[in-house]
């Protein structure tokens, strides 16, 4: 009788230890395909292979980002919309999942995304809609992004890129008043002193807000004081890949430890950007965000709840193991080992994100241009030529591209017809 | 009665009944709804019954207004769409199309089709390119000139219950659609009206 009980207990222990604590294999395959330069294969994997409900959100996020990088903005819109719908459905605490995670780990829970990742769904949607020339839809996403910022703004304040994109989306949709509010927030809250000053100044001038216009004008760098722009190319430049979450561990005693996710501290790469237009050096306004800075702040915002849950989990596991040990010492020891082995930090995250997102705003006159971006990232030098840029003074022209070390090997995204990119190491 | 047979059969029957009950609960079903009946709202967001309410209210208002000039016949209207200023992806073209449909059916107004303007021009060019016999060609310069522009704005305000200990999350959404008719000759806003819809939804914080 006792041996049968031990046999069953051993099976239960194995189940606790073996339950999913690794990235879903289809997700892993799709990410590898993406980073090795096969975005279509990655999209097929994400659409056809089975991905557990726990990781479904990550599949939508990856599909949206991969489609965006490949230039398929319509598909990207659908994937991110699926992610938004899923988040709305998951907006409750699952008693079943929370109970299971108390005796195992957080990998058994459905991934709901960090606050930063929820915000970036709207960031990418704004870019998608601006690239698709649907400014009204971009403005809808801007309002949804503002709802996330209203809810979690304290932790997402560093995300100047999204705030600037919100303002640009309102501007594109013909809402200069709403854009003006966001530009003011950028300068007041985020202490941003360049990058979008010229835009903010021109928008304030258009609205007749002379005082604000003068404040913004003082922040414009010298070269940019070239009067009203006639036309403009905005490049959504994404470089590298965001660092992955890693497990951090705290030992409470020799047989007890708690594991939690952290973002590693990485050296900040030195990124320099130069723009050549028709073979000559040209001025551009640039605003850059290191994505991991926002991700780290968003993860820290969950720090208290992660710590509380860790304490409860350690107490629950200890309690069960002690209770079992009183009945059967071997059984108690078996469960202690299983509980210890199952203590794994949930390091799931949106791993296809870039390391940096940069808003490159290039004032151009009406007509057809060839624009060359020279990006220096530490010792690597990337040269990207964007030919056939058609500038219309009535609206902004947009392009999106991703380069840099750790970025997927995509040389010719669909949105850059016959664009060429070369990598040189000096 | 054979007792051993009874004890064996009882759990078997119970299992069959349980499976049958579960299978009934899991079956996919579809039913047709009457769009004219009151509809259950699954959440606080905009849905098709809101569109119906908005269209019915604004069409009534437009039909009964004495503010539009009808001296030279039925007013001719061109629609410039309804701007979506909400945080939802709402196809406001559906609202303006339905209002136009109701007004055309009522026979009080005439409409020019702005969306088809390029196609109309292309068709006219085609007819005058030598492919169509002269007697079958349309006569140029006979298009209707609109008297009024119909345009509007849909706005929303969303309020969430502040963070506190509670079992349900409440959300209040307020929608407002403003519609206006602008006299093209004078630039005057000759008619304007609005519809407001406010709805509260409650969602449990805990679930299985």
């Amino acid at each position: 009788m006792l041996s049968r009980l031990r046999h069953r207990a051993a099976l239960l222990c194995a189940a606790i230890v073996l339950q999913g604590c690794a990235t879903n294999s289809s997700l892993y395959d799709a990410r590898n395909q993406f980073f090795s330069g096969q975005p279509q294969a990655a999209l097929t994997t994400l659409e056809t292979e089975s991905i557990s409900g726990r990781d479904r959100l990550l599949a939508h996020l990856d599909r949206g980002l991969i489609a965006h990088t490949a230039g398929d903005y319509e598909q990207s819109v659908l994937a991110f919309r699926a992610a938004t719908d899923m988040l709305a459905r998951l907006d409750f605490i699952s008693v079943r999942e929370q109970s299971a995670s108390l005796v195992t780990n957080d990998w058994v829970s459905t991934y709901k995304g960090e606050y930063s990742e929820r915000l970036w769904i709207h960031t990418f949607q704004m870019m998608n809609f601006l690239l698709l020339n649907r400014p009204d839809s971009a403005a809808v996403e801007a309002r949804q992004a503002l709802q996330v910022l209203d809810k979690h703004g304290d932790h997402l304040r560093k995300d100047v890129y999204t705030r600037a994109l919100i303002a640009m989306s309102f501007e594109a949709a013909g809402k200069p008043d709403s854009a003006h509010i966001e530009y003011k927030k950028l300068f007041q809250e985020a202490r941003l002193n360049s990058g979008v000053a010229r835009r903010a100044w021109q928008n304030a001038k258009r609205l007749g807000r002379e005082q604000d216009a003068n404040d913004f004008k003082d922040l414009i760098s010298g070269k940019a004081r070239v009067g009203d722009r006639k036309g403009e190319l905005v490049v959504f430049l994404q470089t590298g890949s965001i660092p992955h979450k890693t497990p951090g561990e705290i030992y409470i005693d020799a047989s007890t430890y708690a594991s939690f996710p952290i973002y590693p501290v990485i050296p900040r790469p030195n990124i320099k950007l130069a723009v050549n237009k028709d073979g000559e050096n040209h001025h551009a306004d640039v605003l850059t965000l290191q994505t991991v800075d926002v991700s780290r702040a968003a993860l820290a915002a969950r720090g208290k709840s992660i710590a509380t849950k860790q304490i409860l989990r350690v107490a629950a596991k200890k309690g069960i193991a002690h209770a079992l040990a009183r009945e059967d010492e071997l059984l108690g020891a078996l469960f202690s080992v299983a509980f210890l082995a199952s203590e794994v930090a949930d390091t799931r995250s949106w791993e296809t994100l870039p390391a940096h997102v940069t808003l490159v705003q290039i004032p151009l006159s009406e007509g057809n241009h060839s624009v060359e971006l020279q990006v220096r990232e530490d010792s690597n030098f990337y040269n990207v030529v964007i030919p056939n840029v058609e500038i219309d003074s009535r609206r902004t022209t947009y392009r999106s591209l991703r380069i840099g070390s750790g970025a997927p090997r995509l040389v010719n995204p669909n949105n850059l017809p016959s664009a060429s990119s070369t990598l040189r190491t000096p | 009665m054979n007792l051993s047979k009874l004890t064996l059969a009882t759990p078997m029957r119970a299992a069959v009944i349980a499976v049958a009950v579960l299978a009934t609960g899991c079956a996919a079903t579809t039913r047709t709804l009457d769009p004219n009946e009151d509809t259950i709202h699954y959440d606080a967001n905009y849905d098709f019954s809101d569109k119906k309410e908005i269209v019915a209210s604004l069409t009534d208002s437009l039909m009964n207004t004495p503010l539009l000039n009808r001296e030279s016949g039925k007013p001719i209207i061109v629609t410039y769409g309804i701007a979506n200023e909400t945080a939802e992806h709402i196809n406001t073209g559906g609202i303006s199309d339905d209002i136009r449909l109701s007004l055309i059916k009522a026979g009080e107004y005439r409409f020019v089709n702005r969306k088809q303007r390029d196609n109309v021009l292309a068709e006219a060019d085609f007819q005058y390119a030598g492919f169509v016999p002269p007697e079958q060609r349309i006569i140029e310069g006979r298009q209707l000139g609109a008297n009024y522009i119909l345009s509007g704005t849909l706005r929303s305000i969303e309020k969430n219950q502040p963070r506190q200990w509670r079992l349900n999350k409440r959300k209040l959404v307020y929608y407002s659609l403003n519609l206006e008719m602008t006299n093209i000759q004078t630039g005057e806003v000759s008619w304007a009206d609005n519809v407001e819809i406010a709805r509260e939804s409650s969602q449990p914080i805990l679930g299985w």
Side-chain angles (χ1 to χ4, degrees):
Chain A
M1 180 70 184
L2 190 64
S3 90
R4 200 191 299 166
L5 184 67
R6 281 180 182 165
H7 181 69
R8 284 178 185 170
L11 284 174
L12 187 61
C13 286
I16 290 170
V17 174
L18 291 175
Q19 56 68 44
C21 53
T23 304
N24 181 288
S25 66
S26 302
L27 209 56
Y28 181 79
D29 290 345
R31 287 170 175 176
N32 278 344
Q33 286 167 328
F34 173 57
F35 284 111
S36 61
Q38 305 167 63
Q40 291 309 325
L43 290 170
T44 306
T45 302
L46 288 170
E47 277 158 26
T48 55
E49 300 293 320
S50 84
I51 290 169
S52 78
R54 289 180 301 184
D55 294 333
R56 183 90 60 213
L57 179 70
L58 287 167
H60 290 316
L61 297 177
D62 282 344
R63 197 157 63 87
L65 190 135
I66 293 168
H68 174 92
T69 312
D72 189 346
Y73 306 122
E74 293 282 5
Q75 196 187 156
S76 180
V77 163
L78 294 177
F80 284 129
R81 199 167 284 175
T84 314
D85 291 346
M86 188 175 176
L87 279 171
R89 285 197 304 276
L90 291 175
D91 192 18
F92 68 94
I93 297 165
S94 165
V95 175
R96 175 175 51 88
E97 287 186 352
Q98 292 301 316
S99 310
S101 67
L102 268 183
V103 288
T104 52
N105 53 48
D106 285 336
W107 286 84
V108 297
S109 309
T110 303
Y111 187 72
K112 293 183 183 177
E114 298 293 349
Y115 303 141
S116 52
E117 293 171 350
R118 293 182 201 179
L119 178 65
W120 288 332
I121 292 173
H122 305 298
T123 310
F124 273 92
Q125 288 289 56
M126 282 188 272
M127 290 194 273
N128 281 334
F129 285 123
L130 289 173
L131 286 155
L132 288 167
N133 193 25
R134 287 162 59 186
D136 288 339
S137 298
V140 168
E141 291 296 332
R143 289 182 201 105
Q144 293 184 8
L146 281 175
Q147 287 177 347
V148 180
L149 286 170
D150 282 348
K151 213 168 173 184
H152 310 291
D154 291 347
H155 319 296
L156 302 172
R157 190 163 290 160
K158 286 181 179 174
D159 192 351
V160 290
Y161 182 87
T162 298
R163 184 77 79 180
L165 212 49
I166 290 170
M168 282 175 66
S169 298
F170 283 141
E171 247 192 290
K175 314 281 174 212
D177 275 314
S178 302
H180 183 70
I181 293 167
E182 298 312 313
Y183 284 131
K184 281 194 84 168
K185 281 183 194 166
L186 263 176
F187 291 95
Q188 285 168 355
E189 290 182 15
R191 305 270 180 266
L192 186 76
N193 56 16
S194 62
V196 288
R198 185 176 53 84
R199 300 194 86 80
W201 166 59
Q202 285 170 340
N203 189 58
K205 258 184 33 171
R206 216 172 294 139
L207 286 170
R209 310 270 174 95
E210 290 304 323
Q211 183 57 50
D212 289 336
N214 288 336
D215 291 347
F216 292 143
K217 196 175 179 183
D218 292 341
L219 301 167
I220 302 172
S221 62
K223 270 188 177 177
R225 281 188 208 223
V226 287
D228 272 327
R229 61 181 184 265
K230 297 282 181 281
E232 185 184 38
L233 168 68
V234 169
V235 181
F236 306 126
L237 179 68
Q238 299 133 63
T239 49
S241 275
I242 193 168
H244 301 174
K245 280 178 191 167
T246 53
E249 282 156 4
I250 292 178
Y251 278 84
I252 295 154
D253 60 42
S255 64
T256 315
Y257 76 94
S259 187
F260 48 88
I262 52 168
Y263 274 103
V265 177
I266 51 157
R268 193 174 287 268
N270 182 18
I271 294 180
K272 283 185 178 165
L273 185 90
V275 177
N276 284 343
K277 186 204 79 173
D278 305 325
E280 287 179 13
N281 192 272
H282 195 74
H283 173 77
D285 291 319
V286 176
L287 182 148
T288 297
L289 171 77
Q290 178 154 295
T291 51
V292 76
D293 290 346
V294 185
S295 295
R296 194 177 284 119
L299 183 60
R302 287 202 305 123
K304 271 185 194 167
S305 70
I306 293 173
T308 309
K309 198 165 174 193
Q310 288 290 3
I311 293 164
L312 288 173
R313 185 182 292 138
V314 168
K317 286 180 175 180
K318 277 259 174 194
I320 294 169
H322 276 287
L324 284 167
R326 275 200 297 274
E327 297 295 319
D328 182 335
E329 206 168 306
L330 182 62
L331 212 58
L334 203 61
F335 267 86
S336 287
V337 172
F339 283 148
L340 197 66
S342 70
E343 189 53 47
V344 182
D346 180 5
T347 52
R348 286 175 292 178
S349 67
W350 186 359
E351 293 181 6
T352 47
L353 279 168
H356 299 88
V357 279
T358 304
L359 205 55
V360 189
Q361 306 145 83
I362 310 162
L364 292 170
S365 55
E366 271 203 337
N368 191 284
H369 301 275
S370 173
V371 177
E372 186 183 358
L373 293 184
Q374 295 174 338
V375 185
R376 184 181 291 277
E377 184 193 37
D378 288 335
S379 59
N380 290 331
F381 185 75
Y382 302 88
N383 205 28
V384 184
V385 178
I386 311 171
N388 299 321
V389 177
E390 201 61 48
I391 297 294
D392 180 337
S393 62
R394 289 166 299 177
R395 62 185 187 89
T396 304
T397 302
Y398 300 94
R399 291 286 190 277
S400 176
L401 67 120
R402 185 157 171 189
I403 52 168
S405 58
R409 288 202 294 271
L410 289 175
V411 175
N412 253 340
N414 297 341
N415 58 314
L416 296 170
S418 59
S420 60
S421 166
T422 51
L423 165 63
R424 295 200 302 267
T425 36
Chain B
M1 185 184 254
N2 185 339
L3 195 64
S4 67
K5 206 174 175 181
L6 179 75
T7 48
L8 189 70
T10 306
M12 287 280 282
R13 280 180 194 159
V16 169
I17 291 165
V19 168
V21 168
L22 282 174
T24 314
C26 295
T29 62
T30 308
R31 68 190 178 101
T32 306
L33 295 174
D34 180 354
N36 296 317
E37 275 182 16
D38 282 348
T39 312
I40 300 164
H41 301 285
Y42 294 111
D43 53 37
N45 294 346
Y46 177 90
D47 58 34
F48 77 93
S49 65
D50 297 327
K51 189 181 85 169
K52 275 179 59 63
E53 191 180 330
I54 287 169
V55 169
S57 170
L58 292 173
T59 307
D60 276 355
S61 173
L62 255 172
M63 302 276 269
N64 299 318
T65 181
L67 300 171
L68 300 185
N69 184 355
R70 293 164 203 262
E71 282 168 9
S72 53
K74 294 174 187 174
I76 301 168
I77 297 169
V78 59
T79 53
Y80 266 70
I82 294 166
N84 176 15
E85 290 192 9
T86 71
E88 291 171 62
H89 290 283
I90 295 170
N91 182 1
T92 53
I95 301 173
S96 49
D97 283 357
D98 282 9
I99 290 172
R100 188 179 61 176
L101 181 68
S102 299
L103 295 175
I104 288 173
K105 277 184 175 175
E108 296 287 319
Y109 297 94
R110 300 171 79 189
F111 281 84
V112 291
N113 198 337
R114 192 173 71 96
K115 280 184 193 165
Q116 290 298 324
R117 199 168 276 167
D118 286 345
N119 291 336
V120 168
L121 287 177
E123 191 58 32
D125 286 349
F126 172 78
Q127 291 188 13
Y128 277 87
F131 302 107
V132 177
E135 69 275 11
Q136 288 180 19
R137 289 174 192 160
I138 54 140
I139 302 165
E140 288 186 302
R142 296 283 178 92
Q143 295 218 2
L144 289 178
N147 312 119
Y148 295 97
I149 289 174
L150 182 68
S151 60
T153 309
L154 179 66
R155 296 184 179 87
S156 71
I157 299 169
E158 190 180 315
K159 290 297 288 179
N160 287 296
Q161 201 180 5
R163 279 170 172 253
Q164 58 189 42
W165 285 102
R166 61 194 195 270
L167 290 172
N168 287 293
K169 270 187 264 192
R170 283 185 180 172
K171 185 167 101 169
L172 184 71
V173 186
Y174 163 85
Y175 293 99
S176 157
L177 187 128
N178 281 22
L179 201 66
E180 60 193 29
M181 199 77 93
T182 308
N183 186 320
I184 295 173
Q185 186 156 293
T186 62
E188 179 192 7
V189 177
S190 303
W191 169 90
D193 204 348
N194 78 326
V195 183
E196 293 172 336
I197 296 169
R199 189 175 297 131
E200 186 187 58
S201 72
S202 174
Q203 193 188 336
I205 287 174
L206 295 175
W208 182 244

